[in-house]
């Protein structure tokens, strides 16, 4: 199915540009053309199709539904909702604020906030095409578990007391009110309206993420073409214990979303970096970014921000160590 993109890269790199096969620059350019064309086509097609299905999603009903569920099931639902919404870490925050104002427990809201940037339909689609379904299933399960456990832990220690006064007041006032009335049924959209919605969402998301695709694929191409064969495998391929926390710390300032970081993940794995180290690096890049924490400062006190930061770094490091064990076969 995806051979057409390889053939396109072959045609453009070796026939039209007449670059000699096997050179570092030609290999890097071929990688860039193949992955960029593949990702952009998948983005346009799949975002449009999925948006058609999501055209009548009523976020207000989701809030009401989550607010009335038991905590354990609520963590799971919050994580699921985060996984199916195509938000980056920063664009998830307005929804997070809406959940807080609706009186949904902080842990459920945090399960959504943490899972949303880590997992989305775009990331899943790209992971299947680039790294296979086994790694994709692993990535989805790990991302959801991180979100759910983080939400449970924050609720268990009563972390909502460390919200900023405005957010804490909004949550308290909402929880003290009688159960909200059922929202009116979502207006059924015509096919033309669904098409307009899907087209608009596709254009908006593509406009927001295309630069990350080019940056991510560009970095991946550079690693693929110019890093000496065997260098990563020789220096980090044994999964040294210190390589995982270092990769987590290195990933924090390199803000990206799941779409942009996946090509880098592919290149690192192909160059011999262990899967656990790669996963830890990519998760810290996506879910522990500086811009996200700057925005969260508007609704969280420093104590809660620091706790969340430490919680994520610890989780990513443990995950890296676990999946660097030789029992995993990908």
């Amino acid at each position: 199915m995806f051979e057409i993109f390889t053939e396109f890269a072959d045609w453009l790199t070796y026939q039209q540009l007449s670059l000699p096969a096997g050179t570092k620059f030609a290999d890097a350019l071929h990688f860039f053309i193949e992955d960029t064309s593949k990702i952009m086509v998948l983005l346009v097609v799949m975002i449009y199709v999925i948006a058609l299905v999501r055209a009548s999603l009523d976020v207000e009903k989701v809030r009401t539904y989550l607010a009335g569920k038991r905590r354990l099931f609520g963590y799971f639902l919050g994580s699921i909702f985060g996984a199916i919404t195509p938000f980056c870490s920063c664009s998830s925050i307005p929804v997070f604020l809406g959940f807080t104002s609706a009186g949904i427990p902080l842990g459920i809201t945090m399960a959504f906030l943490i899972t949303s940037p880590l997992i989305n339909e775009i990331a899943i689609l790209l992971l299947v095409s680039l790294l296979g379904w086994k790694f994709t299933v692993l990535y989805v399960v790990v991302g959801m578990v991180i979100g759910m456990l983080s939400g449970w832990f924050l609720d268990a220690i009563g972390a909502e007391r460390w919200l900023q006064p405005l957010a804490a007041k909004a949550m308290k006032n909402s929880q003290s009110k009688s159960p909200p009335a059922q929202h009116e049924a979502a207006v059924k959209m015509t096919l033309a309206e669904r098409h307009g919605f899907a087209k608009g969402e596709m254009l908006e998301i593509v406009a927001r993420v295309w630069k990350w695709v080019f940056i991510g694929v560009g970095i991946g191409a550079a690693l693929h073409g110019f890093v000496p064969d065997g260098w990563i495998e020789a220096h980090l391929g044994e999964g040294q214990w210190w390589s995982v926390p270092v990769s987590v710390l290195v990933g924090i300032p390199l803000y990206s979303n799941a779409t942009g970081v996946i090509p880098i993940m592919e290149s690192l794995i192909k160059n011999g970096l262990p899967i656990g180290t790669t996963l830890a690096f990519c998760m810290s890049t996506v879910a522990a970014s500086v811009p996200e924490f700057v925005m969260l400062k508007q609704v969280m006190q420093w104590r809660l921000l620091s706790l969340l930061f430490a919680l994520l770094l610890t989780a990513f490091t443990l995950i890296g160590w676990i999946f660097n064990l030789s029992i995993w076969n990908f």
Side-chain angles (χ1 to χ4, degrees), residues 62-75 78 95-96 98-113 150-152 154-156 158-160 163 171-172 174-175:
V62 173
R63 293 179 187 175
T64 303
Y65 187 75
L66 288 175
K69 295 301 175 184
R70 294 179 180 273
R71 290 294 176 91
L72 183 60
F73 190 49
Y75 302 140
V95 182
F96 165 81
F99 279 17
T100 302
S101 299
I104 295 175
L106 178 64
I108 297 177
T109 305
M110 292 304 300
F112 160 79
L113 181 70
S150 298
W152 168 80
L154 292 172
D155 270 347
E160 63 184 44
L163 289 170
M171 176 180 285
K172 184 177 181 180
S174 180
Q175 291 175 339

Side-chain angles (χ1 to χ4, degrees), residues 157-225:
I157 65 173
E160 63 184 44
R161 68 183 185 273
W162 295 322
L163 289 170
Q164 293 286 12
L166 182 62
K169 183 178 180 180
M171 176 180 285
K172 184 177 181 180
N173 289 342
S174 180
Q175 291 175 339
S176 64
K177 293 178 181 178
S178 57
Q182 292 292 326
H183 294 282
E184 295 181 3
V187 178
K188 292 185 177 180
M189 303 175 70
T190 65
L191 182 59
E193 290 171 333
R194 286 178 179 270
H195 165 71
F197 173 85
K199 179 181 177 182
E201 182 159 297
M202 181 268 291
L203 292 174
E204 179 184 355
I205 294 176
V206 170
R208 193 170 68 228
V209 305
W210 73 267
K211 62 182 179 181
W212 298 112
V213 172
F214 277 69
I215 292 172
V217 176
I219 295 174
L223 291 170
H224 181 79

Side-chain angles (χ1 to χ4, degrees), residues 91-327:
S91 59
S92 300
I93 292 174
V95 182
F96 165 81
L97 295 175
F99 279 17
T100 302
S101 299
I104 295 175
L106 178 64
I108 297 177
T109 305
M110 292 304 300
F112 160 79
L113 181 70
I114 293 171
T115 306
S116 184
L118 287 174
I119 307 170
N120 56 57
E121 62 269 28
I122 303 171
I124 292 173
L125 181 70
L126 297 181
L127 280 172
V128 170
S129 67
L130 297 176
L131 300 176
W133 67 267
K134 289 184 179 180
F135 188 92
T136 303
V137 171
L138 164 68
Y139 186 88
V140 171
V141 170
V142 167
M144 291 185 62
V145 169
I146 290 174
M148 294 171 63
L149 289 179
S150 298
W152 168 80
F153 177 75
L154 292 172
D155 270 347
I157 65 173
E160 63 184 44
R161 68 183 185 273
W162 295 322
L163 289 170
Q164 293 286 12
L166 182 62
K169 183 178 180 180
M171 176 180 285
K172 184 177 181 180
N173 289 342
S174 180
Q175 291 175 339
S176 64
K177 293 178 181 178
S178 57
Q182 292 292 326
H183 294 282
E184 295 181 3
V187 178
K188 292 185 177 180
M189 303 175 70
T190 65
L191 182 59
E193 290 171 333
R194 286 178 179 270
H195 165 71
F197 173 85
K199 179 181 177 182
E201 182 159 297
M202 181 268 291
L203 292 174
E204 179 184 355
I205 294 176
V206 170
R208 193 170 68 228
V209 305
W210 73 267
K211 62 182 179 181
W212 298 112
V213 172
F214 277 69
I215 292 172
V217 176
I219 295 174
L223 291 170
H224 181 79
F226 293 100
V227 174
D229 292 340
W231 188 92
I232 291 179
E233 185 174 6
H235 290 80
L236 299 173
E238 296 181 0
Q240 297 91 330
W241 71 267
W242 51 264
S243 67
V244 176
V246 168
S247 69
V248 171
L249 293 175
V250 169
I252 293 171
L254 304 177
Y255 171 65
S256 181
N257 54 32
T259 307
V261 83
I262 287 172
I264 303 174
M265 180 188 299
E266 177 195 22
S267 185
L268 289 172
I269 292 176
K270 285 184 176 180
N271 277 277
L273 191 66
I275 189 172
T277 309
T278 303
L279 194 62
F281 166 77
C282 294
M283 284 187 161
S284 68
T285 301
V286 172
S289 65
V290 173
E292 177 181 14
F293 279 85
V294 170
M295 292 184 69
L296 283 175
K297 180 62 178 66
Q298 308 306 309
V299 293
M300 296 181 182
Q301 298 179 22
W302 281 114
R303 184 176 296 182
L304 180 53
L305 273 178
S306 301
L307 177 62
L308 176 62
F309 187 72
L311 188 65
L312 289 176
L313 298 193
T314 301
F316 298 155
T317 300
L318 290 175
I319 287 168
W321 284 337
I322 290 172
F323 286 107
N324 273 349
L325 298 177
S326 58
I327 60 175

Side-chain angles (χ1 to χ4, degrees), residues 14-51:
Y14 304 128
Q15 296 183 29
Q16 298 304 307
L17 297 178
S18 300
L19 295 177
T23 62
K24 292 182 178 180
F25 180 75
D27 288 348
L29 183 62
H30 185 280
F31 181 97
F32 182 83
I33 294 172
E34 179 180 353
D35 272 29
T36 301
S37 59
K38 180 194 305 182
I39 291 172
M40 294 307 297
V41 170
L42 290 174
L43 282 178
V44 171
V45 174
M46 294 307 301
I47 293 174
Y48 176 83
V49 171
I50 293 169

